PDB file of all heavy atoms in Angstrom:
ATOM      1  N   VAL A 333      -3.354  -0.497   3.025  1.00  0.00           N
ATOM      2  CA  VAL A 333      -2.801   0.736   3.531  1.00  0.00           C
ATOM      3  C   VAL A 333      -2.379   0.622   4.984  1.00  0.00           C
ATOM      4  O   VAL A 333      -3.190   0.062   5.797  1.00  0.00           O
ATOM      5  CB  VAL A 333      -3.879   1.860   3.378  1.00  0.00           C
ATOM      6  CG1 VAL A 333      -3.381   3.152   3.843  1.00  0.00           C
ATOM      7  CG2 VAL A 333      -4.367   1.906   1.932  1.00  0.00           C
ATOM      8  N   LYS A 334      -1.282   1.144   5.259  1.00  0.00           N
ATOM      9  CA  LYS A 334      -0.757   1.216   6.603  1.00  0.00           C
ATOM     10  C   LYS A 334      -0.144   2.608   6.810  1.00  0.00           C
ATOM     11  O   LYS A 334       0.997   2.853   6.434  1.00  0.00           O
ATOM     12  CB  LYS A 334       0.257   0.180   7.003  1.00  0.00           C
ATOM     13  CG  LYS A 334      -0.303  -1.254   7.001  1.00  0.00           C
ATOM     14  CD  LYS A 334       0.713  -2.252   7.394  1.00  0.00           C
ATOM     15  CE  LYS A 334       0.113  -3.636   7.435  1.00  0.00           C
ATOM     16  NZ  LYS A 334       1.085  -4.671   7.679  1.00  0.00           N
ATOM     17  N   GLY A 335      -0.945   3.585   7.317  1.00  0.00           N
ATOM     18  CA  GLY A 335      -0.523   4.908   7.474  1.00  0.00           C
ATOM     19  C   GLY A 335      -0.265   5.558   6.167  1.00  0.00           C
ATOM     20  O   GLY A 335      -1.205   5.660   5.322  1.00  0.00           O
ATOM     21  N   ASP A 336       0.979   6.072   5.977  1.00  0.00           N
ATOM     22  CA  ASP A 336       1.302   6.716   4.769  1.00  0.00           C
ATOM     23  C   ASP A 336       2.003   5.831   3.746  1.00  0.00           C
ATOM     24  O   ASP A 336       2.813   6.301   2.868  1.00  0.00           O
ATOM     25  CB  ASP A 336       2.121   7.989   4.974  1.00  0.00           C
ATOM     26  CG  ASP A 336       1.347   9.097   5.560  1.00  0.00           C
ATOM     27  OD1 ASP A 336       0.124   9.105   5.368  1.00  0.00           O
ATOM     28  OD2 ASP A 336       1.874  10.017   6.153  1.00  0.00           O
ATOM     29  N   GLN A 337       1.829   4.499   3.869  1.00  0.00           N
ATOM     30  CA  GLN A 337       2.418   3.484   3.009  1.00  0.00           C
ATOM     31  C   GLN A 337       1.350   2.493   2.581  1.00  0.00           C
ATOM     32  O   GLN A 337       0.413   2.284   3.334  1.00  0.00           O
ATOM     33  CB  GLN A 337       3.538   2.775   3.713  1.00  0.00           C
ATOM     34  CG  GLN A 337       4.724   3.677   4.151  1.00  0.00           C
ATOM     35  CD  GLN A 337       5.837   2.907   4.690  1.00  0.00           C
ATOM     36  OE1 GLN A 337       6.080   1.766   4.319  1.00  0.00           O
ATOM     37  NE2 GLN A 337       6.544   3.477   5.600  1.00  0.00           N
ATOM     38  N   MET A 338       1.546   1.914   1.401  1.00  0.00           N
ATOM     39  CA  MET A 338       0.586   0.806   1.030  1.00  0.00           C
ATOM     40  C   MET A 338       1.451  -0.155   0.204  1.00  0.00           C
ATOM     41  O   MET A 338       2.386   0.219  -0.517  1.00  0.00           O
ATOM     42  CB  MET A 338      -0.609   1.333   0.263  1.00  0.00           C
ATOM     43  CG  MET A 338      -0.344   2.030  -1.041  1.00  0.00           C
ATOM     44  SD  MET A 338      -1.966   2.500  -1.904  1.00  0.00           S
ATOM     45  CE  MET A 338      -2.401   3.932  -0.989  1.00  0.00           C
ATOM     46  N   THR A 339       1.021  -1.401   0.325  1.00  0.00           N
ATOM     47  CA  THR A 339       1.750  -2.445  -0.458  1.00  0.00           C
ATOM     48  C   THR A 339       0.584  -3.360  -1.014  1.00  0.00           C
ATOM     49  O   THR A 339      -0.510  -3.463  -0.519  1.00  0.00           O
ATOM     50  CB  THR A 339       2.648  -3.309   0.421  1.00  0.00           C
ATOM     51  OG1 THR A 339       1.910  -3.879   1.519  1.00  0.00           O
ATOM     52  CG2 THR A 339       3.795  -2.448   0.913  1.00  0.00           C
ATOM     53  N   GLY A 340       0.973  -4.111  -2.114  1.00  0.00           N
ATOM     54  CA  GLY A 340       0.010  -5.021  -2.651  1.00  0.00           C
ATOM     55  C   GLY A 340       0.441  -5.590  -3.958  1.00  0.00           C
ATOM     56  O   GLY A 340       1.709  -5.612  -4.205  1.00  0.00           O
ATOM     57  N   ARG A 341      -0.483  -6.125  -4.758  1.00  0.00           N
ATOM     58  CA  ARG A 341      -0.145  -6.837  -5.938  1.00  0.00           C
ATOM     59  C   ARG A 341      -0.945  -6.272  -7.127  1.00  0.00           C
ATOM     60  O   ARG A 341      -2.059  -5.855  -6.941  1.00  0.00           O
ATOM     61  CB  ARG A 341      -0.323  -8.281  -5.786  1.00  0.00           C
ATOM     62  CG  ARG A 341       0.624  -8.904  -4.813  1.00  0.00           C
ATOM     63  CD  ARG A 341       0.815 -10.384  -4.940  1.00  0.00           C
ATOM     64  NE  ARG A 341       1.178 -10.871  -6.250  1.00  0.00           N
ATOM     65  CZ  ARG A 341       2.425 -10.938  -6.730  1.00  0.00           C
ATOM     66  NH1 ARG A 341       3.425 -10.372  -6.016  1.00  0.00           N
ATOM     67  NH2 ARG A 341       2.670 -11.421  -7.916  1.00  0.00           N
ATOM     68  N   ALA A 342      -0.331  -6.324  -8.276  1.00  0.00           N
ATOM     69  CA  ALA A 342      -1.029  -6.007  -9.565  1.00  0.00           C
ATOM     70  C   ALA A 342      -0.933  -7.180 -10.470  1.00  0.00           C
ATOM     71  O   ALA A 342       0.145  -7.855 -10.564  1.00  0.00           O
ATOM     72  CB  ALA A 342      -0.326  -4.802 -10.213  1.00  0.00           C
ATOM     73  N   THR A 343      -2.015  -7.520 -11.129  1.00  0.00           N
ATOM     74  CA  THR A 343      -2.023  -8.592 -12.120  1.00  0.00           C
ATOM     75  C   THR A 343      -2.541  -8.094 -13.411  1.00  0.00           C
ATOM     76  O   THR A 343      -3.631  -7.496 -13.512  1.00  0.00           O
ATOM     77  CB  THR A 343      -2.987  -9.761 -11.607  1.00  0.00           C
ATOM     78  OG1 THR A 343      -2.525 -10.148 -10.331  1.00  0.00           O
ATOM     79  CG2 THR A 343      -2.947 -10.932 -12.469  1.00  0.00           C
ATOM     80  N   TRP A 344      -1.753  -8.305 -14.514  1.00  0.00           N
ATOM     81  CA  TRP A 344      -2.065  -7.863 -15.898  1.00  0.00           C
ATOM     82  C   TRP A 344      -2.800  -9.010 -16.607  1.00  0.00           C
ATOM     83  O   TRP A 344      -2.348 -10.129 -16.510  1.00  0.00           O
ATOM     84  CB  TRP A 344      -0.862  -7.489 -16.649  1.00  0.00           C
ATOM     85  CG  TRP A 344      -0.228  -6.189 -16.234  1.00  0.00           C
ATOM     86  CD1 TRP A 344      -0.327  -5.061 -16.889  1.00  0.00           C
ATOM     87  CD2 TRP A 344       0.623  -5.969 -15.209  1.00  0.00           C
ATOM     88  NE1 TRP A 344       0.363  -4.061 -16.262  1.00  0.00           N
ATOM     89  CE2 TRP A 344       1.024  -4.645 -15.194  1.00  0.00           C
ATOM     90  CE3 TRP A 344       1.119  -6.802 -14.133  1.00  0.00           C
ATOM     91  CZ2 TRP A 344       1.892  -4.104 -14.214  1.00  0.00           C
ATOM     92  CZ3 TRP A 344       1.964  -6.265 -13.159  1.00  0.00           C
ATOM     93  CH2 TRP A 344       2.351  -4.888 -13.233  1.00  0.00           C
ATOM     94  N   SER A 345      -3.819  -8.660 -17.284  1.00  0.00           N
ATOM     95  CA  SER A 345      -4.408  -9.623 -18.186  1.00  0.00           C
ATOM     96  C   SER A 345      -4.647  -9.002 -19.568  1.00  0.00           C
ATOM     97  O   SER A 345      -5.139  -7.818 -19.615  1.00  0.00           O
ATOM     98  CB  SER A 345      -5.690 -10.161 -17.630  1.00  0.00           C
ATOM     99  OG  SER A 345      -6.664  -9.165 -17.477  1.00  0.00           O
ATOM    100  N   GLY A 346      -4.336  -9.598 -20.601  1.00  0.00           N
ATOM    101  CA  GLY A 346      -4.452  -9.049 -21.921  1.00  0.00           C
ATOM    102  C   GLY A 346      -3.994 -10.025 -22.926  1.00  0.00           C
ATOM    103  O   GLY A 346      -3.506 -11.156 -22.600  1.00  0.00           O
TER     104      GLY A 346
END
Side-chain angles (χ1 to χ4, degrees):
V333 182
K334 291 183 181 177
D336 286 339
Q337 298 184 32
M338 62 175 80
T339 57
R341 294 202 52 83
T343 305
W344 286 260
S345 62

